[in-house]
């Protein structure tokens, strides 16, 4: 009995002496976040290094300047987004300008996300149940304007560097504002054209279906009218026969006379 209890006690001691590994879930989250941040930074480096030779630098951020050229509007957008990340602000797509000849986009403005002010109709609401969200727009004038030149290059025609608010630390700039998630105007125009064509085709199909239904309804109404007319003639014939029978003398009355 003593040996058994001793063996059991030794077994418990062995189990308590086993090394227990503990994993912190935050370690994995921080590691993934660190890898994502490093990935974005490397992408920003690739974008900015392309223009490092022709642009003046301010710290780690290569500043745009008037006359700076880009191969596409998306490239200008990605460059300004990368510049905003390294400077401490996020970017929003603003107004664009279109050609009067073919309606293509020939100019684009990129602004700080704090540009403009919130409209009064969203601030002064009598039917509001929850408190209004915090003000995020402060009328910041910082912006970048590019224009299409000779139908090939996108050239910076206006650049406002100064902000009217304090900038964030580059490490605190939200990564959700990635330039790859911004709306592409060309793709949006293409989608609008596709939806317009789809809507037109659907209207044509509806017209054809309505015409077919109208024709079928006309056939049914014609059949109903013919049937009603046939019933009317049948009723008239029956009425005439009944009247004829009423006017005929009875055989019994003739025999009595």
């Amino acid at each position: 009995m003593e040996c058994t209890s001793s063996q059991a006690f030794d077994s418990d001691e062995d189990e308590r002496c086993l090394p227990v590994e503990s994993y912190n879930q935050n370690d994995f989250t921080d590691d993934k976040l660190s890898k994502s941040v490093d990935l974005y930074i490397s992408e920003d480096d690739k974008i900015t290094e392309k223009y490092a030779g022709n642009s003046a630098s301010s710290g780690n951020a290569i500043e745009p300047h008037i006359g700076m050229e880009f191969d596409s509007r998306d490239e200008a957008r990605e460059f300004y987004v990368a510049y905003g990340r390294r400077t401490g602000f996020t970017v929003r797509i603003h107004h664009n300008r279109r050609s009067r000849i073919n309606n293509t986009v020939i100019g684009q403005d990129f602004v700080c996300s704090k540009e403009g002010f919130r409209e009064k109709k969203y601030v002064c609401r009598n039917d509001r149940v929850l408190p209004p969200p915090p003000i995020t727009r402060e009328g910041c004038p910082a912006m970048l304007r590019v224009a299409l030149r000779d139908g090939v290059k996108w050239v910076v025609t206006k650049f406002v560097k100064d902000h009217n608010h304090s900038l964030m630390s580059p490490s605190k700039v939200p990564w959700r504002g990635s330039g790859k998630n911004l709306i592409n105007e060309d793709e949006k125009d293409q989608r609008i054209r596709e939806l317009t064509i789809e809507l037109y085709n659907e209207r044509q199909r509806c017209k054809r279906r309505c015409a077919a239904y109208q024709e079928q309804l006309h056939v049914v109404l014609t059949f109903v009218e013919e049937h009603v007319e046939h019933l009317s003639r049948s009723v008239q014939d029956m009425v005439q026969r009944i009247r004829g029978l009423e006017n005929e003398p009875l055989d019994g009355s003739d025999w009595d006379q």
Side-chain angles (χ1 to χ4, degrees), residues 15-199:
E15 290 179 358
R16 282 185 289 180
C17 291
L18 290 175
V20 179
E21 296 182 359
S22 61
Y23 297 94
N24 189 354
Q25 186 176 2
N26 294 330
D27 294 340
F28 293 97
T29 305
D30 294 341
D31 184 60
K32 292 180 180 179
L33 180 60
S34 177
K35 291 181 179 178
S36 299
V37 171
D38 292 340
L39 178 61
Y40 279 116
I41 292 175
S42 62
E43 291 180 356
D44 291 345
D45 290 338
K46 292 179 181 178
I47 295 172
T48 55
E49 282 177 0
K50 182 177 180 180
Y51 304 94
N54 299 326
S55 302
S57 61
S58 175
N60 293 328
I62 300 174
E63 290 185 0
H65 58 86
I66 295 178
M68 190 175 185
E69 295 183 350
F70 300 94
D71 294 333
S72 66
R73 186 157 49 104
D74 291 337
E75 189 174 306
R77 177 198 64 197
E78 292 177 0
F79 174 82
Y80 194 53
V81 169
Y83 168 76
R85 286 200 191 105
R86 292 187 175 275
T87 305
F89 68 96
T90 54
V91 176
R92 190 176 77 248
I93 292 181
H94 202 42
H95 299 301
N96 59 24
R97 289 164 296 283
R98 294 180 177 273
S99 171
R100 296 182 180 179
I101 300 175
N102 53 14
N103 200 36
T104 58
V105 178
I106 59 175
Q108 183 69 63
D109 290 354
F110 305 102
V111 298
C112 173
S113 59
K114 293 183 179 292
E115 180 272 342
F117 297 94
R118 183 175 297 173
E119 296 185 13
K120 292 183 179 180
K121 64 180 180 179
Y122 298 116
V123 178
C124 303
R125 291 180 54 183
N126 297 326
D127 59 344
R128 185 180 296 279
V129 178
L130 299 176
I135 300 296
T136 57
R137 298 195 180 186
E138 303 178 10
C140 180
M143 58 93 67
L144 178 73
R145 175 174 295 170
V146 293
L148 183 62
R149 178 175 296 175
D150 299 330
V152 179
K153 293 288 186 178
W154 289 84
V155 183
V156 176
T157 59
K158 183 178 180 180
F159 171 59
V160 179
K161 175 183 176 181
D162 296 331
H163 298 255
N164 65 349
H165 57 88
S166 58
L167 299 177
M168 295 178 286
S169 172
S171 61
K172 295 183 179 180
V173 176
W175 295 99
R176 289 178 298 177
S178 171
K180 297 184 181 299
N181 295 328
L182 296 177
I183 299 175
N184 187 319
E185 293 293 334
D186 294 334
E187 294 178 356
K188 184 173 69 174
D189 294 342
Q190 179 65 23
R191 184 57 179 164
I192 290 174
R193 287 192 292 269
E194 292 175 355
L195 291 175
T196 302
I197 295 174
E198 184 178 350
L199 179 61

Side-chain angles (χ1 to χ4, degrees), residues 224-256:
V224 170
E225 290 177 357
E226 293 177 354
H227 187 65
V228 169
E229 185 177 357
H230 175 71
L231 290 177
S232 178
R233 288 196 300 267
S234 299
V235 170
Q236 290 178 0
D237 293 340
M238 293 295 294
V239 170
Q240 290 178 0
R241 290 179 182 180
I242 292 173
R243 288 178 179 177
L245 292 174
E246 290 177 350
N247 294 331
E248 290 181 358
L250 297 175
D251 295 339
S253 61
D254 294 340
W255 184 79
D256 292 338

